[in-house]
Amino acid sequence: DFDDELDSFCDADGTQWVNTAACSATVQQQAYSKKVEALDDRVAELKTLFFAKYGRDLEDYEDEQEQLYDAQGTAWSVTVGRGIVHQREAYDSRLNGLLKGLEEVKALYRAKYGRDLADYEDEGELLYDAEGTAWSVTVGRGESEQKQVYDARVAELDDSLAEVKALYFAKYGRDLEDFEDEGEPVYDAEGMAWQVSVGRGAIAQKEAYNAKLESLEDSLQEVKVLYRAKYGDDLDFDDELDSFCDADGTQWVKTAACSATVQQQAYSKRIEALDDRVAELKTLYFAKYGRDLEDYEDEQEQLYDAQGAAWSVTVGRGIVHQREA
């Protein structure tokens, strides 16, 4: 049996053990209460000693910015912690003070200008002060109020749109939706031709795009089938530029579109082939003239061939290098 929750003891081999004994909630509450009482007693003792030494209580510094000096004359700034309840009460008190101040300002404004600040919430009217300076009043609104105003405006626009559609149908005998997929011009009462463009959302545009793309793909497959039936060969050529002759002996050059990945691979192969040719030319040049072409990049020196003719060397640079220069 150990009285202390953390009690150490040694066994027969001299090994030290720490015993942690479980206890019920009631025992834990009693132990907690004893510790709190002990801390309260120590705080009370410290307050008594402080009062005996400095002649004043620690509570005197709670709401003051006055510095505290110890026996050596060192200045201390006292910060006393408060609980959440006390902080909440202080916050509510300050908030009530600000609201009272706001009401007072509104009353003074009303007494001086004869109208309330709330009158400018929905107005673009300028406000003039005593010196005649014009001010534009902007009053902040919460998210809920902004949402309500937005919904009201959207509903008003929907009503106006419905009214316009009804007037259009009454005058021309057809709806505006009839022109959505048509390029047909609309004629007004004076015979003036109009081209109607009806806006669509991103979803409707995406669906129309996909439908057109599928239609084009179907047409392409149909063309390929007809071509194979007539010429006995497919339109898919491995080479990008492949020539062939039709039944009449006419030569055609076929250019087949390819994806960005295939184009990038073909471009890389061509660049590698060009790099190999450039390296080969540089090797032949060095073998014949005993110096590299790079030696002439930044020089104005002339180059003489085997016949003694003077040449001016101009070495091309890539767009990246030119950009950096």
Side-chain angles (χ1 to χ4, degrees):
D1 298 331
F2 298 93
D3 295 334
D4 194 0
E5 183 182 356
L6 294 176
D7 195 353
S8 62
F9 64 95
C10 297
D11 56 15
D13 302 327
T15 304
Q16 187 175 13
W17 294 81
V18 176
N19 175 65
T20 302
C23 55
S24 63
T26 304
V27 177
Q28 293 181 23
Q29 182 65 35
Q30 292 175 355
Y32 174 77
S33 300
K34 288 180 181 179
K35 290 181 180 179
V36 171
E37 291 175 0
L39 290 174
D40 289 337
D41 294 338
R42 293 184 64 182
V43 170
E45 183 181 356
L46 288 174
K47 288 183 177 180
T48 302
L49 294 174
F50 185 87
F51 182 80
K53 186 171 184 179
Y54 296 103
R56 63 190 304 181
D57 294 328
L58 278 173
E59 285 78 0
D60 299 336
Y61 298 95
E62 288 189 359
D63 299 322
E64 300 179 10
Q65 296 297 325
E66 179 183 352
Q67 290 182 328
L68 174 66
Y69 296 90
D70 57 14
Q72 289 76 30
T74 304
W76 294 80
S77 179
V78 180
T79 302
V80 181
R82 303 176 182 180
I84 188 171
V85 177
H86 188 74
Q87 293 179 15
R88 184 67 182 179
E89 293 174 353
Y91 172 79
D92 292 338
S93 177
R94 290 183 181 179
L95 183 60
N96 292 332
L98 291 173
L99 292 174
K100 290 180 180 179
L102 178 61
E103 293 299 330
E104 183 179 355
V105 169
K106 287 183 176 181
L108 293 174
Y109 184 88
R110 188 185 306 110
K112 185 172 183 179
Y113 297 103
R115 64 187 304 182
D116 294 329
L117 280 172
D119 299 337
Y120 299 95
E121 289 188 358
D122 299 322
E123 300 179 11
E125 178 184 352
L126 294 176
L127 173 66
Y128 296 89
D129 56 16
E131 289 77 18
T133 304
W135 294 81
S136 178
V137 179
T138 302
V139 181
R141 302 176 181 178
E143 181 180 357
S144 300
E145 187 178 353
Q146 292 180 20
K147 181 66 174 176
Q148 293 175 359
V149 173
Y150 173 79
D151 292 339
R153 289 182 179 177
V154 171
E156 183 180 354
L157 290 174
D158 288 338
D159 295 339
S160 299
L161 178 61
E163 183 180 356
V164 169
K165 288 183 176 180
L167 293 174
Y168 185 89
F169 182 81
K171 185 172 184 179
Y172 297 104
R174 64 190 302 183
D175 294 327
L176 279 173
E177 285 78 1
D178 299 336
F179 300 96
E180 288 188 358
D181 299 320
E182 299 180 11
E184 177 185 350
V186 182
Y187 296 91
D188 56 17
E190 290 78 16
M192 180 71 68
W194 294 82
Q195 185 72 33
V196 179
S197 297
V198 181
R200 303 176 183 178
I203 298 177
Q205 293 181 19
K206 184 68 174 178
E207 292 175 352
Y209 172 78
N210 292 332
K212 291 182 179 178
L213 185 61
E214 292 176 358
S215 176
L216 290 174
E217 290 177 349
D218 294 339
S219 299
L220 178 61
Q221 294 299 327
E222 184 179 355
V223 169
K224 286 183 177 180
V225 172
L226 295 175
Y227 183 88
R228 188 184 305 110
K230 185 173 183 179
Y231 298 104
D233 194 5
D234 292 331
L235 276 173
D236 299 328
F237 296 93
D238 295 333
D239 193 2
E240 183 181 359
L241 292 176
D242 195 354
S243 61
F244 63 96
C245 297
D246 56 16
D248 302 327
T250 304
Q251 187 177 17
W252 294 82
V253 176
K254 189 258 181 186
T255 302
C258 54
S259 63
T261 304
V262 177
Q263 294 181 25
Q264 181 65 34
Q265 293 174 354
Y267 175 78
S268 300
K269 290 181 180 178
R270 291 181 180 177
I271 293 297
E272 292 175 0
L274 290 174
D275 289 337
D276 294 338
R277 294 183 63 184
V278 169
E280 183 180 358
L281 288 174
K282 287 182 178 180
T283 302
L284 295 174
Y285 185 88
F286 182 80
K288 185 172 184 179
Y289 296 103
R291 63 190 303 181
D292 294 328
L293 279 172
E294 285 79 0
D295 299 337
Y296 299 96
E297 287 189 359
D298 299 321
E299 299 178 12
Q300 297 297 326
E301 179 183 351
Q302 290 182 330
L303 174 66
Y304 295 90
D305 56 16
Q307 288 75 32
W311 293 81
S312 179
V313 179
T314 302
V315 181
R317 304 176 182 180
I319 188 171
V320 178
H321 187 74
Q322 295 179 18
R323 181 75 180 188
E324 293 174 353

PDB file of all heavy atoms in Angstrom, residues 146 150 158 178 210 221 234 269 280 285:
ATOM      1  N   GLN A 146     -25.982  40.826 -47.543  1.00  0.00           N
ATOM      2  CA  GLN A 146     -25.513  40.876 -48.929  1.00  0.00           C
ATOM      3  C   GLN A 146     -26.152  39.762 -49.755  1.00  0.00           C
ATOM      4  O   GLN A 146     -26.514  39.968 -50.914  1.00  0.00           O
ATOM      5  CB  GLN A 146     -23.993  40.741 -48.963  1.00  0.00           C
ATOM      6  CG  GLN A 146     -23.253  41.931 -48.362  1.00  0.00           C
ATOM      7  CD  GLN A 146     -21.753  41.753 -48.430  1.00  0.00           C
ATOM      8  OE1 GLN A 146     -21.252  40.968 -49.220  1.00  0.00           O
ATOM      9  NE2 GLN A 146     -21.036  42.472 -47.598  1.00  0.00           N
ATOM     10  N   TYR A 150     -28.427  40.274 -53.024  1.00  0.00           N
ATOM     11  CA  TYR A 150     -28.057  39.634 -54.290  1.00  0.00           C
ATOM     12  C   TYR A 150     -29.217  38.808 -54.843  1.00  0.00           C
ATOM     13  O   TYR A 150     -29.536  38.878 -56.034  1.00  0.00           O
ATOM     14  CB  TYR A 150     -26.828  38.755 -54.067  1.00  0.00           C
ATOM     15  CG  TYR A 150     -26.458  37.910 -55.258  1.00  0.00           C
ATOM     16  CD1 TYR A 150     -25.774  38.466 -56.341  1.00  0.00           C
ATOM     17  CD2 TYR A 150     -26.788  36.562 -55.312  1.00  0.00           C
ATOM     18  CE1 TYR A 150     -25.431  37.697 -57.435  1.00  0.00           C
ATOM     19  CE2 TYR A 150     -26.454  35.786 -56.405  1.00  0.00           C
ATOM     20  CZ  TYR A 150     -25.773  36.360 -57.458  1.00  0.00           C
ATOM     21  OH  TYR A 150     -25.439  35.592 -58.548  1.00  0.00           O
ATOM     22  N   ASP A 158     -34.581  38.241 -63.351  1.00  0.00           N
ATOM     23  CA  ASP A 158     -35.351  37.141 -63.945  1.00  0.00           C
ATOM     24  C   ASP A 158     -36.747  37.604 -64.358  1.00  0.00           C
ATOM     25  O   ASP A 158     -37.252  37.230 -65.425  1.00  0.00           O
ATOM     26  CB  ASP A 158     -35.448  35.980 -62.954  1.00  0.00           C
ATOM     27  CG  ASP A 158     -34.117  35.259 -62.785  1.00  0.00           C
ATOM     28  OD1 ASP A 158     -33.280  35.364 -63.691  1.00  0.00           O
ATOM     29  OD2 ASP A 158     -33.932  34.597 -61.739  1.00  0.00           O
ATOM     30  N   ASP A 178     -36.015  30.059 -79.910  1.00  0.00           N
ATOM     31  CA  ASP A 178     -36.040  29.463 -81.244  1.00  0.00           C
ATOM     32  C   ASP A 178     -34.811  29.821 -82.061  1.00  0.00           C
ATOM     33  O   ASP A 178     -34.525  29.192 -83.076  1.00  0.00           O
ATOM     34  CB  ASP A 178     -37.299  29.912 -82.002  1.00  0.00           C
ATOM     35  CG  ASP A 178     -38.571  29.461 -81.285  1.00  0.00           C
ATOM     36  OD1 ASP A 178     -38.488  28.480 -80.526  1.00  0.00           O
ATOM     37  OD2 ASP A 178     -39.622  30.090 -81.490  1.00  0.00           O
ATOM     38  N   ASN A 210     -18.929  19.031 -76.978  1.00  0.00           N
ATOM     39  CA  ASN A 210     -18.744  17.575 -77.014  1.00  0.00           C
ATOM     40  C   ASN A 210     -19.626  16.928 -78.085  1.00  0.00           C
ATOM     41  O   ASN A 210     -19.205  15.980 -78.765  1.00  0.00           O
ATOM     42  CB  ASN A 210     -19.055  16.971 -75.645  1.00  0.00           C
ATOM     43  CG  ASN A 210     -18.044  17.376 -74.596  1.00  0.00           C
ATOM     44  OD1 ASN A 210     -16.888  17.640 -74.919  1.00  0.00           O
ATOM     45  ND2 ASN A 210     -18.459  17.433 -73.334  1.00  0.00           N
ATOM     46  N   GLN A 221     -14.841   8.806 -89.219  1.00  0.00           N
ATOM     47  CA  GLN A 221     -14.844   7.350 -89.362  1.00  0.00           C
ATOM     48  C   GLN A 221     -15.558   6.922 -90.641  1.00  0.00           C
ATOM     49  O   GLN A 221     -15.135   5.988 -91.342  1.00  0.00           O
ATOM     50  CB  GLN A 221     -15.516   6.714 -88.135  1.00  0.00           C
ATOM     51  CG  GLN A 221     -14.749   6.902 -86.837  1.00  0.00           C
ATOM     52  CD  GLN A 221     -13.372   6.273 -86.877  1.00  0.00           C
ATOM     53  OE1 GLN A 221     -13.164   5.232 -87.525  1.00  0.00           O
ATOM     54  NE2 GLN A 221     -12.423   6.895 -86.196  1.00  0.00           N
ATOM     55  N   ASP A 234      -5.913   2.434 -95.979  1.00  0.00           N
ATOM     56  CA  ASP A 234      -6.384   3.320 -94.917  1.00  0.00           C
ATOM     57  C   ASP A 234      -5.808   4.713 -95.078  1.00  0.00           C
ATOM     58  O   ASP A 234      -4.752   4.920 -95.685  1.00  0.00           O
ATOM     59  CB  ASP A 234      -5.989   2.762 -93.535  1.00  0.00           C
ATOM     60  CG  ASP A 234      -6.736   1.478 -93.226  1.00  0.00           C
ATOM     61  OD1 ASP A 234      -7.854   1.330 -93.737  1.00  0.00           O
ATOM     62  OD2 ASP A 234      -6.190   0.640 -92.484  1.00  0.00           O
ATOM     63  N   LYS A 269      13.745  14.343 -82.216  1.00  0.00           N
ATOM     64  CA  LYS A 269      14.574  13.549 -83.113  1.00  0.00           C
ATOM     65  C   LYS A 269      15.272  14.424 -84.154  1.00  0.00           C
ATOM     66  O   LYS A 269      16.452  14.221 -84.473  1.00  0.00           O
ATOM     67  CB  LYS A 269      13.721  12.493 -83.813  1.00  0.00           C
ATOM     68  CG  LYS A 269      13.236  11.383 -82.874  1.00  0.00           C
ATOM     69  CD  LYS A 269      12.413  10.358 -83.631  1.00  0.00           C
ATOM     70  CE  LYS A 269      11.929   9.245 -82.702  1.00  0.00           C
ATOM     71  NZ  LYS A 269      11.087   8.251 -83.420  1.00  0.00           N
ATOM     72  N   GLU A 280      29.550  16.857 -86.498  1.00  0.00           N
ATOM     73  CA  GLU A 280      30.376  16.294 -87.564  1.00  0.00           C
ATOM     74  C   GLU A 280      31.059  17.388 -88.371  1.00  0.00           C
ATOM     75  O   GLU A 280      32.255  17.289 -88.704  1.00  0.00           O
ATOM     76  CB  GLU A 280      29.487  15.437 -88.470  1.00  0.00           C
ATOM     77  CG  GLU A 280      30.255  14.736 -89.584  1.00  0.00           C
ATOM     78  CD  GLU A 280      29.335  13.896 -90.453  1.00  0.00           C
ATOM     79  OE1 GLU A 280      28.111  13.845 -90.144  1.00  0.00           O
ATOM     80  OE2 GLU A 280      29.823  13.295 -91.428  1.00  0.00           O
ATOM     81  N   TYR A 285      35.873  20.626 -89.747  1.00  0.00           N
ATOM     82  CA  TYR A 285      36.465  21.958 -89.813  1.00  0.00           C
ATOM     83  C   TYR A 285      37.765  22.016 -89.013  1.00  0.00           C
ATOM     84  O   TYR A 285      38.775  22.565 -89.463  1.00  0.00           O
ATOM     85  CB  TYR A 285      35.473  22.990 -89.293  1.00  0.00           C
ATOM     86  CG  TYR A 285      35.956  24.410 -89.429  1.00  0.00           C
ATOM     87  CD1 TYR A 285      35.725  25.143 -90.589  1.00  0.00           C
ATOM     88  CD2 TYR A 285      36.665  25.019 -88.399  1.00  0.00           C
ATOM     89  CE1 TYR A 285      36.179  26.439 -90.714  1.00  0.00           C
ATOM     90  CE2 TYR A 285      37.124  26.310 -88.516  1.00  0.00           C
ATOM     91  CZ  TYR A 285      36.883  27.028 -89.665  1.00  0.00           C
ATOM     92  OH  TYR A 285      37.336  28.302 -89.787  1.00  0.00           O
TER      93      TYR A 285
END
